[in-house]
Amino acid sequence: MKLNKLIVTFIYAFIALGVAACSGVNFTDWRFPYMYPVQQGNYITDEQITQLKVGMTKEQVSFVIGHPVSQFMFSSTQWQYVYQMHNNNKLKNSYIVNINFDTAEKLTSVESAGEAFVK
């Protein structure tokens, strides 16, 4: 009687293993325990970038895309927005947006590298 239960348990285990093998899970991106995706920095959309216009004040820029994570340390006329998305300890997305102001604190140019491109 115990032998039959053991055989049935093994059969169920092999069926479960077969179903899991055919599930289509990409095990290169899957880790155990589950690691939550981590976003760092300012997430800026393309719509926000297109709202920026030359001549805007710093207050208007910060209203549109928020305050920068860091200010360029050698000049107070440049703001840097850095964004990184990590998933399972791998860098998935990364971009930097530099916003330059003149001495009168008016927007002069927007430069970006990475996902958010300025047109």
Side-chain angles (χ1 to χ4, degrees):
M1 190 67 168
K2 287 190 177 197
L3 185 62
N4 288 340
K5 286 184 180 180
L6 186 63
I7 290 173
V8 170
T9 304
F10 279 126
I11 290 172
Y12 284 137
F14 283 122
I15 290 172
L17 183 63
V19 169
C22 298
S23 67
V25 173
N26 185 1
F27 288 103
T28 58
D29 287 336
W30 183 79
R31 299 284 186 266
F32 184 80
Y34 176 72
M35 294 181 186
Y36 194 75
V38 177
Q39 298 180 8
Q40 295 177 328
N42 296 83
Y43 181 73
I44 300 174
T45 63
D46 290 331
E47 291 82 23
Q48 290 173 314
I49 295 260
T50 57
Q51 290 178 3
L52 297 176
K53 305 293 181 209
V54 174
M56 293 176 79
T57 64
K58 286 186 175 183
E59 291 80 22
Q60 292 171 328
V61 171
S62 65
F63 179 76
V64 172
I65 59 176
H67 294 287
V69 171
S70 66
Q71 211 174 17
F72 191 61
M73 62 190 268
F74 298 112
S75 173
S76 63
T77 61
Q78 185 179 36
W79 285 359
Q80 292 182 332
Y81 293 84
V82 180
Y83 174 79
Q84 292 183 337
M85 171 69 173
H86 295 270
N87 194 1
N88 291 331
N89 291 336
K90 294 179 185 174
L91 183 63
K92 297 292 182 180
N93 280 346
S94 177
Y95 61 80
I96 298 172
V97 177
N98 291 327
I99 298 182
N100 300 308
F101 297 95
D102 61 8
T103 54
E105 296 188 348
K106 301 285 185 181
L107 179 66
T108 57
S109 66
V110 178
E111 306 164 348
S112 67
E115 179 183 285
F117 289 104
V118 178
K119 297 179 176 57

